[in-house]
């Protein structure tokens, strides 16, 4: 089993998708062991508590040092960024090559990188007039949203869509499906590489 930590900042619907997937046996090689937020009031922490998971808040002072310490103490082997809104330094990220995933609410390379997060992504997609958008799960490297792509799922943009209605559709039809599937596959691959 790969002990897995989920980093969150907001509502935690992607975390919830992982919790629900684990509950139905959908993450056979990943053990959700820890949820960490950089925002004390993140509802995602409440979701973690309700699921019986350790839920930790880490403040801005020495954030990465404290995070590294906690991940090591808990024997974490896989880190999932799920609506996590802090950019991690290249130094930090380089220590997790192949073991850190992120979910982004567009079809990378569209609408990604600096400043593209949350509703802003969907506002940009609507402004550009794309007919298809979607979500991407990728490995995290030193370039924001620049790591190797693992899974993508396209979602139609419908007439009359608002950023909110589009975000909801992308979450329901893409994010909440892709993230559990990606965690399942990466955890399996890590397990196999550790046994080889
Ligand atoms: C949402 O914009 C989602 O598309 C993106 O992060 C934001 C918050 O997601 N992945 P969550 O509900 O906190 O998982």
């Amino acid at each position: 089993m790969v002990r897995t930590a989920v980093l969150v900042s907001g509502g935690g619907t992607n975390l919830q998708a992982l919790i629900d997937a684990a509950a139905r046996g959908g993450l056979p090689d990943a053990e959700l062991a820890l949820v960490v937020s950089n925002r004390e009031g993140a509802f995602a922490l409440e979701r973690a508590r309700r699921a019986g998971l350790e839920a930790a808040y880490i403040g801005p002072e020495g954030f990465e040092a404290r995070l590294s310490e906690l991940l090591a103490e808990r024997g974490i082997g896989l880190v999932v960024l799920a609506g996590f809104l802090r950019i991690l330094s290249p130094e930090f990220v380089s220590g997790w090559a192949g073991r850190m995933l992120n979910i982004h609410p567009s079809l990378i390379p569209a609408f990604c990188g600096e400043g593209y997060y949350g509703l802003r992504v969907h506002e940009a997609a609507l402004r550009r007039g794309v007919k298809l958008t979607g979500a991407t799960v990728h490995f995290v490297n030193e370039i924001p949203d620049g790591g190797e792509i693992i899974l993508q799922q396209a979602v139609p943009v419908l007439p009359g869509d608002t950023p909110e209605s589009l975000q909801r559709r992308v979450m329901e039809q893409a994010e909440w499906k892709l993230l559990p599937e990606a965690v399942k596959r990466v955890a399996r691959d890590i397990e196999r590489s550790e046994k080889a």
Side-chain angles (χ1 to χ4, degrees):
M1 290 291 267
V2 181
R3 286 174 59 80
T4 301
V6 186
L7 275 53
V8 296
S9 299
T13 64
N14 281 286
L15 167 66
Q16 193 63 55
L18 291 173
I19 290 168
D20 295 346
R24 59 175 179 266
L27 301 179
D29 298 307
E31 176 194 359
L32 297 183
L34 172 67
V35 176
V36 180
S37 181
N38 63 320
R39 291 196 181 160
E40 197 164 18
F43 186 67
L45 290 177
E46 180 57 26
R47 291 181 190 271
R49 291 184 199 104
R50 291 180 186 175
L53 299 176
E54 180 179 5
Y57 161 68
I58 300 181
E61 289 304 309
F63 180 85
E64 290 192 0
R66 297 225 17 241
L67 178 59
S68 281
E69 200 174 275
L70 187 54
L71 294 174
E73 280 169 13
R74 297 293 186 274
I76 300 299
L78 177 59
V79 177
V80 180
L81 309 187
F84 183 66
L85 294 180
R86 181 183 171 119
I87 299 292
L88 295 167
S89 69
E91 295 72 32
F92 186 94
V93 165
S94 62
W96 291 90
R99 289 175 177 266
M100 184 178 279
L101 309 183
N102 182 51
I103 175 98
H104 183 76
S106 75
L107 295 176
I108 289 175
F111 313 117
C112 70
E114 191 77 30
Y116 283 103
Y117 57 88
L119 273 181
R120 293 180 176 206
V121 175
H122 305 292
E123 287 163 357
L126 290 172
R127 224 176 6 254
R128 184 63 185 83
V130 295
K131 304 307 175 193
L132 277 179
T133 185
T136 303
V137 182
H138 61 92
F139 284 112
V140 176
N141 66 8
E142 68 287 353
I143 303 159
D145 300 325
E148 177 194 346
I149 290 172
I150 300 168
L151 291 173
Q152 293 190 302
Q153 171 66 54
V155 173
V157 180
L158 301 179
D161 260 335
T162 63
E164 291 75 12
S165 65
L166 184 53
Q167 177 179 55
R168 184 79 197 176
R169 188 176 312 114
V170 169
M171 283 176 161
E172 285 173 348
Q173 295 184 13
E175 294 180 47
W176 300 343
K177 293 188 167 73
L178 289 183
L179 194 57
E181 180 58 28
V183 169
K184 174 184 163 188
R185 294 185 189 188
V186 172
R188 180 196 59 203
D189 294 349
I190 290 172
E191 279 282 88
R192 285 176 179 168
S193 68
E194 286 174 347
K195 285 189 176 131

